[in-house]
Amino acid sequence: MTLRRFLQSCSAAVRLIAASLLAAALPQVVHAETIKVGVIGPYSGPFALYGKNFKLGIEAYVAANGKKAGPHTVEFVYKDLDGPNPSKAKALAQELIVKDRVQYLAGTYFTPNALAIAPLLEEAKVPLVVLNAGTSSITQKSPFIVRTSFTMWQNTVPGAKAAYKMGSRKVAIAVSDYGPGADVEAAFKQTFTAAGGTVVATIRMPLNTTDFAPIMQRIKAAGADTIFAFLPSGPATLGFVKSYIDNGMRASGIKLFSTGDLVQEPDLKALGSDAMGIMSTYHYASSNTSPSNKRFIDQYKKVGGDFDELTMAAVAAYDGAHLLYTMIKATGGKQDPARAIESVKGFKWNSPRGEVSIDPATRHIRQTIYLRTVDTRDGKLINREIEAFPDQPDYGFPAN
Amino acid sequence: VNTAISVAIDAVAYGMILFVICIGLSVTMSLMRVINLAHGAFAMLGGYFASILIISYEINFFASIALAIGATVLVAMPLEWILYRRLYARSDPLMQVVMTVGIVFLIIGIINFLFGPTVKSIPLPHVISGPVDIGVRTIPAHRLFVIGSGLAIFGALWFLLEHTAYGVRLRAAVENSAMAAALGVRTKRMYATAFALSVALGAFGGIAGAELLPMEPYYALRYIVTFLVVVSVGGAGSIRGALLASLLLGSVDTVARYLVPDFGASFFYLAVIAIVLCFPNGLLGREHM
């Protein structure tokens, strides 16, 4: 060690001691700090719509509640990750933790990215607020994860109950062939057969399927009276619905049920009147008429959001920001992940989607799942909520 | 038996859609010897133009198709002048791939900026929408339209290339452009018209296939592998090859999806591997390509 280095560290130590003495002398003064939050999401590429929703949802919350959580200024740092890419997700999280010194992480649109970040959290003492990735097991991977979005099980179980109640007895399940699709299939089958219905066909469709005609033929051949479908939001949902109509399925009286992913509001315009009457179960519809949703949409528009591009991702981000602010206040701005997570367990609030709470056991959001049908309002296609299933847990979590 | 016929009809319909979208690429790759990865981007431009014309200007569907094809060719021709012209025949494939992929990203960026990331529809007129009963089963009317236009394109192209003076000159220009030029063929003009033709076919394919492959900014990139596979299986340089490959791959894919959907696209690609192993130049490809 050179002399200069030694002197430097001495003076640093002296300053540190002086600072802590000062802090001890003035115990009642709370230090206002800048707390950084790293938000990883798809801000470019094919899923950019949802990254944009993350950002606008957070900005809407900040616009409504100010930049400060208590005395502390909250600063959001956005990192772009355009697809499911575990190694890059991990690298970005490490960069945020080490270089940007974030106290919280949020975001993760895709399940593999959330799973890749999970092992870092305990060592780095950083909580993660998942704003989308909907695989049930994610919150099990670390005690420092809480989630404000949904799980496939949470949305599907009420769907199966509703389908049975509305007279469906023989259902063909058609899902995209990847993790969430398998979840939907399992959740529907279990709930629907328990209610007394029969599943006459289970079809897993490759993610890159573009022509759904043979799948419709199979469903017809199986003698189903209802299709329950899940495809991730995107161009394929359009092909699926068109195929359902054009192959005469609707005309022959076969009903189409799905999770809300098939009829996301930004896709409805392209589906056009074909979409009318499609039933779905989901946790959020932008057409929800509650005052809290109206307030949220006003803020969302104020920060530059387009109503036609509003999805559940913005609401998850808005509520995620609410949790972050709550945790920052509860810990007094200190890096104390255990206390932060403890402070939101069982936490209840009024979200744009209705009454919600964080389940203390699963750290996943309990929320109302709505049965909706595609309908028009003021000449625009919307998902009209016709029935509510309040306080739904994550049925996919082992304890449930 | 009914089911078999029904699946066969779906197979032909899907094969024809593949043919309509891929034939333009086959023309560029075979006649111009350019690996045009921007083909999907031109198809997408056609689709967006049609969508805007029909929805915002409420122009008739068939008129919109013609206008959209014209508009796409207008956008593409300056690119031919400035960029593609340098790549014909002699330059190495890597250059072509890098340049055309650059064009793809440029177009994706512009479309995303102007029209946003959401899916855009091309509403069909009443005549070709909804189901039609053809005796054995109901089939989407749109599929009949695609099968018809696919056959028409096949016939017209075959006639144009094999039985007109233009076709002879074009093939001469491709085989040996120096010799063709020496004999008085205006090779540059030949290439430009052939490029316009392939872009027009691409734009039409984009519009006609939009029921299966809907328009969104990443269209240009999403389906390019499928297009390239169909063209290389058919054999570059062969219109008949492209038709045969489309129908064959369409059938394999449709039948596999009906019988064993859980295996995903594996049968499609197994078929591709088998064909390419047996016919390295594609089904009806020529030796030197």
Side-chain angles (χ1 to χ4, degrees):
Chain A
M1 193 185 272
T2 63
L3 184 61
R4 177 188 283 187
R5 265 257 194 84
F6 176 71
L7 287 177
Q8 263 173 358
S9 34
C10 276
S11 82
V14 167
R15 256 183 283 159
L16 200 68
I17 292 164
S20 49
L21 281 175
L22 204 66
L26 303 163
Q28 68 274 46
V29 175
V30 182
H31 282 268
E33 297 180 43
T34 299
I35 313 289
K36 284 189 181 177
V37 180
V39 191
I40 298 173
Y43 305 112
S44 69
F47 299 92
L49 178 67
Y50 298 99
K52 203 170 158 191
N53 266 272
F54 278 178
K55 213 171 192 167
L56 288 166
I58 290 170
E59 281 168 8
Y61 186 83
V62 173
N65 298 280
K67 283 196 167 85
K68 286 183 182 254
H72 312 289
T73 308
V74 185
E75 186 191 328
F76 291 92
V77 184
Y78 296 94
K79 285 273 186 251
D80 184 18
L81 180 53
D82 60 2
N85 185 343
S87 59
K88 197 169 172 207
K90 195 172 168 189
L92 284 177
Q94 279 165 337
E95 191 187 326
L96 282 164
I97 293 164
V98 175
K99 206 177 125 242
D100 294 303
R101 303 202 162 279
V102 299
Q103 225 181 74
Y104 296 88
L105 284 171
T108 63
Y109 187 74
F110 303 98
T111 291
N113 297 347
L115 293 177
I117 295 171
L120 301 175
L121 303 174
E122 268 189 278
E123 195 191 333
K125 298 197 163 87
V126 172
L128 166 67
V129 181
V130 174
L131 302 183
N132 189 68
T135 305
S136 294
S137 63
I138 289 174
T139 52
Q140 275 178 291
K141 300 295 176 196
S142 164
F144 292 167
I145 297 180
V146 347
R147 177 165 49 196
T148 59
S149 52
F150 63 94
T151 67
M152 302 319 299
W153 277 82
Q154 196 174 28
N155 276 324
T156 306
V157 169
K161 288 179 185 159
Y164 188 82
K165 221 167 98 185
M166 297 184 73
S168 299
R169 290 299 177 268
K170 292 180 186 169
V171 170
I173 308 173
V175 296
S176 285
D177 195 5
Y178 73 128
D183 272 6
V184 168
E185 189 187 292
F188 190 91
K189 214 175 196 170
Q190 189 184 311
T191 317
F192 194 66
T193 45
T198 324
V199 173
V200 292
T202 54
I203 301 168
R204 293 196 181 174
M205 309 174 282
L207 271 174
N208 60 2
T209 305
T210 50
D211 179 19
F212 295 94
I215 287 155
M216 294 302 159
Q217 294 307 326
R218 244 179 101 94
I219 292 170
K220 253 189 208 169
D225 58 26
T226 303
I227 309 172
F228 192 88
F230 161 73
L231 293 92
S233 171
T237 58
L238 202 70
F240 186 87
V241 173
K242 294 228 179 221
S243 205
Y244 162 74
I245 309 278
D246 286 346
N247 283 286
M249 312 288 280
R250 174 183 278 170
S252 59
I254 299 173
K255 280 182 277 186
L256 176 57
F257 262 84
S258 74
T259 62
D261 305 276
L262 208 65
V263 282
Q264 294 272 11
E265 279 83 354
D267 295 336
L268 280 182
K269 209 170 145 197
L271 285 169
S273 55
D274 283 351
M276 290 285 287
I278 295 177
M279 312 284 273
S280 59
T281 40
Y282 217 41
H283 56 291
Y284 178 68
S286 59
S287 55
N288 181 302
T289 49
S290 70
S292 58
N293 189 44
K294 203 181 158 295
R295 269 201 307 281
F296 162 68
I297 289 171
D298 286 344
Q299 296 297 339
Y300 169 84
K301 284 183 182 159
K302 207 180 282 173
V303 295
D306 176 354
F307 181 73
D308 291 334
E309 292 184 355
L310 174 59
T311 70
M312 44 72 200
V315 181
Y318 185 83
D319 287 334
H322 187 48
L323 283 190
L324 286 162
Y325 272 49
T326 309
M327 291 192 280
I328 290 167
K329 278 182 213 162
T331 53
K334 300 267 178 324
Q335 187 149 9
D336 187 349
R339 209 167 124 205
I341 294 290
E342 212 50 51
S343 74
V344 293
K345 278 187 184 171
F347 183 60
K348 279 191 176 59
W349 74 100
N350 188 9
S351 154
R353 52 192 134 162
E355 289 297 324
V356 297
S357 67
I358 297 296
D359 191 316
T362 63
R363 283 165 279 111
H364 176 74
I365 192 163
R366 293 178 80 102
Q367 57 192 333
T368 306
I369 302 297
Y370 299 90
L371 173 67
R372 311 100 46 91
T373 175
V374 179
D375 201 350
T376 50
R377 188 172 75 193
D378 308 329
K380 256 186 189 170
L381 287 167
I382 57 155
N383 285 303
R384 185 182 299 284
E385 294 166 346
I386 49 177
E387 200 184 333
F389 298 82
D391 200 27
Q392 298 291 309
D394 171 21
Y395 294 99
F397 202 81
N400 287 305
Chain B
V1 183
N2 244 356
T3 320
I5 295 173
S6 177
V7 172
I9 293 172
D10 280 332
V12 171
Y14 184 53
M16 271 305 185
I17 287 191
L18 284 181
F19 174 74
V20 169
I21 300 178
C22 297
I23 185 62
L25 182 61
S26 180
V27 168
T28 350
M29 298 224 344
S30 60
L31 293 178
M32 340 254 316
R33 311 257 166 88
V34 174
I35 303 168
N36 185 17
L37 296 184
H39 180 72
F42 294 135
M44 177 172 84
L45 284 181
Y48 269 86
F49 278 126
S51 172
I52 298 162
L53 287 169
I54 296 171
I55 294 174
S56 307
Y57 295 94
E58 295 177 357
I59 295 174
N60 170 281
F61 177 76
F62 298 99
S64 295
I65 291 187
L67 288 173
I69 291 174
T72 311
V73 172
L74 275 184
V75 171
M77 284 325 280
L79 292 174
E80 200 267 350
W81 268 58
I82 303 166
L83 298 171
Y84 280 89
R85 189 157 282 195
R86 295 156 206 277
L87 294 183
Y88 292 146
R90 52 188 164 277
S91 80
D92 69 311
L94 185 63
M95 271 281 271
Q96 302 178 347
V97 166
V98 170
M99 189 200 84
T100 53
V101 142
I103 294 175
V104 170
F105 282 111
L106 188 72
I107 293 179
I108 287 177
I110 293 171
I111 292 283
N112 203 354
F113 178 74
L114 292 179
F115 304 106
T118 55
V119 176
K120 296 282 175 289
S121 65
I122 302 176
L124 297 173
H126 192 66
V127 225
I128 55 167
S129 65
V132 173
D133 199 338
I134 53 164
V136 241
R137 56 167 287 196
T138 54
I139 179 173
H142 169 259
R143 297 291 193 284
L144 294 176
F145 167 69
V146 172
I147 293 175
S149 44
L151 289 174
I153 288 175
F154 173 72
L157 267 184
W158 174 75
F159 184 78
L160 177 72
L161 296 179
E162 307 284 330
H163 291 274
T164 62
Y166 171 80
V168 172
R169 287 200 206 108
L170 181 61
R171 279 180 292 141
V174 171
E175 289 299 329
N176 189 335
S177 80
M179 182 56 84
L183 291 171
V185 175
R186 295 183 175 179
T187 51
K188 272 191 179 166
R189 193 186 284 179
M190 281 285 130
Y191 278 128
T193 53
F195 183 81
L197 177 69
S198 74
V199 168
L201 288 171
F204 179 76
I207 302 165
E211 290 283 293
L212 292 194
L213 317 177
M215 290 301 139
E216 34 88 37
Y218 280 82
Y219 178 103
L221 216 51
R222 212 182 278 268
Y223 309 111
I224 195 71
V225 172
T226 316
F227 302 164
L228 286 172
V229 161
V230 172
V231 171
S232 48
V233 164
S238 171
I239 310 294
R240 277 184 301 151
L243 181 67
L244 197 60
S246 302
L247 291 176
L248 194 66
L249 292 176
S251 308
V252 169
D253 202 31
T254 304
V255 173
R257 225 144 357 96
Y258 180 77
L259 295 175
V260 278
D262 294 9
F263 282 90
S266 14
F267 281 94
F268 182 85
Y269 289 106
L270 279 177
V272 170
I273 292 169
I275 294 170
V276 172
L277 273 179
C278 300
F279 306 91
N281 294 312
L283 286 172
L284 299 174
R286 275 171 289 170
E287 199 66 8
H288 60 263
M289 273 304 289

